[in-house]
Amino acid sequence: MPIEICAIGGYSETGKNSTAIKIDDEVVILDMGLHMENYIRYTQDEDISALSYQELLEVNAVPNYGLMEDWKSKIIAIIPGHGHLDHIGAIPFALKLFPKIPVVCTPYTAEILKSIFADEEIKLPNAIVPLNLNSKYKLSSKITVELVNMTHSIPHTAMVVLHTPYGRIVYANDYKFDRQPMLGKKPNFERLKEIGEEGVTLLVIESLYAHEHKKTPSEAVAEQMLKDVMLGVNAEGKGMIVTTFSSHLARLKSIIDLGKKLHRKIVFVGRSLSRYVIAGQNIDLIDFRQDVKLVRHKDKVEKMLKQIMREGKDKYLLVVTGHQGEPKAVLSRLSRGELDYRFDSGDVVIFSCSVIPVELNKNNRDILEKELRNKGVRIFRDIHVSGHACREDHRDLIELIKPKHIIPSHAGADKAQHIAELAEEMGYDRSKNVHIMEDGRRISLK
């Protein structure tokens, strides 16, 4: 069969995103992600550590590439769509299985990978090939990849398009249609429409919020929510801490702008915050150097926190890691009194995130919030909008590119059914053109 798809990870559950596409005798792997819940349960942290692929496979934290053993010799490229760890986090561990296979990705994703390799002293022979958004790269005589600019909760997110002799394959595994992005450009709707007119054989589409009958709000809404809390709450004489996704540079930019209006000195504390910010600065995506002090190493963290307590917490805005309550992250350690920072009644902690709805995160956040409440801290939760498309965004994408076949991804069958229902509503035949996958399953498309 000309086109074959092997669902490696992210189809039986949320996480471990990885899909292999075989065109005749050549294979491309799209995404190579971690299962974040299993990874954090094993390491107690969201940050990458130097561990082996085998030990992470045993705890179901990485995709099982044994599922495509017979395709290994045919692989020509690994292409992650963006830099979130559930899409690139397995690369440092699994890339050794594919020596010399290049990783093609957006420049920011490339910088994040280089930073992880440098920090953990991981040496790999694979080339990292940065490809600008809205650009093409010829992988072989039959396959060309195109990275179409998209919005999500991390910069340089691409909708990956594989141009093949049998039509185009569009991989929309994490996106939103944000027409008012706070960082970067709007989605490239014009190019998507053209790709649809050129002919799309397959759309692989995330289904995480396909059950939500709405359009995902813009990041501009999240900025307004932050403004209402940070500038609208009486925090005079009190400490203020914000925690959010370390890779969400647009959100961090909004937090910085509001911190400056409060006339507080802004300090980012935590390894992953430094990693993502420095990666963005390395490619001139952002420049926070004039406004933010980055503190990541243990001795410097302790020194900085002592200085803050000495000068007065009300003079500072702290942005820290630990929004999901990860036990080893900065916020959890502060709440347990392990670092030189003392919470007082009336101090403010803002969670600019949602709780990722898995048991581990719910439990970790409950423990963290209980610690904070016991100290009299004012907690503001869910000051956030998602980076994931909802049902009506999916409808717009399907109408725009008009794929012949649809495969729901990025969740188990329960969420995938909502994409199937939407497709049926739009005139697709569920039994012929919509394919509910599970990890390890393969299908062929004529």
Side-chain angles (χ1 to χ4, degrees), residues 82-152:
H82 63 281
H84 278 151
L85 293 181
D86 58 335
H87 296 258
I88 66 163
I91 289 176
F93 314 110
L95 213 53
K96 290 169 186 164
L97 304 174
F98 313 103
K100 300 181 182 173
I101 304 298
V103 178
V104 181
C105 56
T106 58
Y108 185 54
T109 306
E111 280 299 316
I112 294 166
L113 285 170
K114 288 176 193 171
S115 169
I116 291 168
F117 295 164
D119 285 354
E120 302 306 327
E121 298 179 353
I122 297 166
K123 291 180 171 60
L124 293 163
N126 310 64
I128 307 289
V129 182
L131 178 62
N132 286 333
L133 287 159
N134 302 316
S135 298
K136 292 180 180 177
Y137 183 81
K138 199 171 176 65
L139 297 173
S140 72
S141 60
K142 289 182 180 175
I143 307 172
T144 295
V145 62
E146 180 176 0
L147 301 181
V148 178
N149 184 64
M150 200 42 54
T151 44
H152 182 42

Side-chain angles (χ1 to χ4, degrees), residues 47-98:
D47 211 0
I48 296 292
S49 309
L51 300 164
S52 77
Y53 173 76
Q54 195 55 43
E55 67 180 307
L56 290 174
L57 186 62
E58 284 167 13
V59 296
N60 195 28
V62 289
N64 180 4
Y65 289 104
L67 296 171
M68 52 165 287
E69 189 66 40
D70 54 320
W71 287 7
K72 266 189 184 174
S73 62
K74 298 174 170 59
I75 297 166
I76 60 169
I78 295 159
I79 308 172
H82 63 281
H84 278 151
L85 293 181
D86 58 335
H87 296 258
I88 66 163
I91 289 176
F93 314 110
L95 213 53
K96 290 169 186 164
L97 304 174
F98 313 103

Side-chain angles (χ1 to χ4, degrees), residues 35 53 67 69 78 85 101 104 130 151 192 194 201 246 302 337 348 369 412 417 432 438 440:
H35 188 293
Y53 173 76
L67 296 171
E69 189 66 40
I78 295 159
L85 293 181
I101 304 298
V104 181
T151 44
L192 286 178
E194 288 171 4
T201 301
S246 296
E302 289 171 358
V348 170
E369 290 185 32
Q417 292 297 341
K432 288 183 182 174
E438 58 187 32

Side-chain angles (χ1 to χ4, degrees), residues 16-45:
K16 295 189 305 181
N17 292 292
S18 199
T19 305
I21 311 276
K22 183 168 169 282
I23 310 296
D24 289 336
D25 57 352
E26 295 175 325
V27 175
V28 174
I29 297 178
L30 302 173
D31 285 341
M32 201 172 263
L34 285 175
H35 188 293
M36 293 309 297
E37 183 183 12
N38 292 345
Y39 182 80
I40 291 167
R41 185 181 286 112
Y42 186 65
T43 65
Q44 298 290 293
D45 199 1

Side-chain angles (χ1 to χ4, degrees), residues 284-298:
D284 299 322
L285 197 56
I286 50 164
D287 190 354
F288 294 166
R289 282 170 288 205
Q290 299 299 312
D291 302 314
V292 176
K293 185 171 183 62
L294 296 175
V295 188
R296 65 182 296 185
H297 297 296
K298 189 180 175 185

Side-chain angles (χ1 to χ4, degrees), residues 206-250:
E206 67 148 306
S207 51
L208 205 57
Y209 292 114
H211 60 289
E212 296 271 4
H213 289 255
K214 63 179 184 180
K215 171 179 170 41
T216 303
S218 166
E219 182 59 23
V221 174
E223 186 192 43
Q224 190 59 48
M225 292 169 78
L226 274 167
K227 184 178 179 183
D228 287 347
V229 175
M230 291 176 69
L231 304 188
V233 168
N234 180 14
E236 200 173 329
K238 302 297 180 183
M240 183 180 283
I241 293 176
V242 183
T243 185
T244 191
F245 300 91
S246 296
S247 58
H248 203 331
L249 300 190

